Amino acid sequence: MPLETPRTLSVIVVDDHPAVRDAVGHAVGGQSDMALVGGAGSAAEAFELARSARPDVAVVDISLGDAHGLDLVQTLRAERPGLAVVVFSMYDEAVYAERALRAGAMAYVRKTEPTSAVLDAVRSAAAGDIYLARRAASRILARVALGGSSSSAVGGDGAASSAQLDELTDREMAVFQLLGQGRGPDDIADHLNLSRKTVETYRRRAKEKLGFESVTELLQFAIRWTYAQAGGAGRYSPE
């Protein structure tokens, strides 16, 4: 009886930075069990590519020029429930890994990880398994064990903790992240397809949940947090 030939996984890469997209695509194309079937630099391109190429796995960045990555994950999963999504992001797993899983992703990998981690995540996601860094997995399991509770204490320097960021809804977190990139309410409204009033409501809720007295304090913290996620000087450039 002839041996069954392993199925080749078809993969698309969605990232608005061509260098990152090319690097991941090259790594995928170099695997005997994977095939790169396309790349996209925006959510709109990703949606059309997912429809036409019908990939097994999509590697998706959270920060895209025309949409928030978690919205794209939800849209892709709604359109193609069988599609496995790997989120590949610069943002800390402590804040976004659980959100990505709730949105329908099967894996979360930081861009600080080696490319081999992305390839492992693609294989795991395609097999129907969750893939997380050990730290993120331990944290999520701990939250489950504690019933999902989280601390709401504010540090002495006024900086909100990752636990407090967990209190933000996905929309509030998206607005917070875009504030940290230096975007104004009108720009955020266009980016997320919301009204300015709705954006201001999410901003106010984020301010209250994070324990800040003013929008200025919220903005300062959002910028510091976003800068820190990008790794510090020389690695953060608001778009």
Side-chain angles (χ1 to χ4, degrees), residues 11-82:
V11 181
I12 63 172
V13 179
V14 183
D15 197 297
D16 59 358
H17 290 87
V20 174
R21 193 166 64 243
D22 291 346
V24 176
H26 180 74
V28 167
Q31 305 302 302
S32 61
D33 59 339
M34 298 181 193
L36 180 69
V37 295
S42 68
E45 291 176 0
F47 188 68
E48 291 303 318
L49 182 59
R51 276 185 164 179
S52 60
R54 301 189 66 80
D56 298 307
V57 183
V59 179
V60 178
D61 185 18
I62 281 181
S63 300
L64 298 172
D66 59 343
H68 195 268
L70 294 186
D71 290 339
L72 175 60
V73 172
Q74 292 176 327
T75 301
L76 289 174
R77 292 282 294 154
E79 175 73 13
R80 292 199 57 224

Side-chain angles (χ1 to χ4, degrees), residues 57-204:
V57 183
V59 179
V60 178
D61 185 18
I62 281 181
S63 300
L64 298 172
D66 59 343
H68 195 268
L70 294 186
D71 290 339
L72 175 60
V73 172
Q74 292 176 327
T75 301
L76 289 174
R77 292 282 294 154
E79 175 73 13
R80 292 199 57 224
L83 176 66
V85 178
V86 173
V87 172
F88 185 46
S89 171
M90 70 176 183
Y91 292 105
D92 193 342
E93 306 99 323
V95 176
Y96 267 114
E98 191 170 353
R99 294 172 186 273
L101 296 183
R102 288 201 304 263
M106 294 294 291
Y108 191 98
V109 181
R110 287 197 71 181
K111 289 183 176 179
T112 54
E113 296 293 321
T115 307
S116 59
V118 181
L119 301 176
D120 289 342
V122 167
R123 293 184 178 99
S124 294
D129 297 325
I130 298 294
Y131 182 97
L132 295 171
R134 181 176 298 178
R135 181 179 62 174
S138 298
R139 180 176 176 275
I140 290 175
L141 289 174
R143 281 173 56 82
V144 172
L146 294 172
S149 62
S150 61
S151 169
S152 60
V154 178
D157 61 355
S161 65
S162 294
Q164 282 181 279
L165 290 175
D166 282 342
E167 299 298 326
L168 302 184
T169 65
D170 287 345
R171 279 299 190 191
E172 290 164 359
M173 190 64 206
V175 169
F176 173 84
Q177 176 190 337
L178 293 172
L179 287 171
Q181 294 177 5
R183 299 183 186 235
D186 290 330
D187 190 14
I188 294 173
D190 290 340
H191 187 78
L192 297 178
N193 195 27
L194 301 171
S195 69
R196 179 189 173 99
K197 184 177 180 180
T198 300
V199 169
E200 290 174 343
T201 297
Y202 287 137
R203 184 179 63 181
R204 174 180 53 79

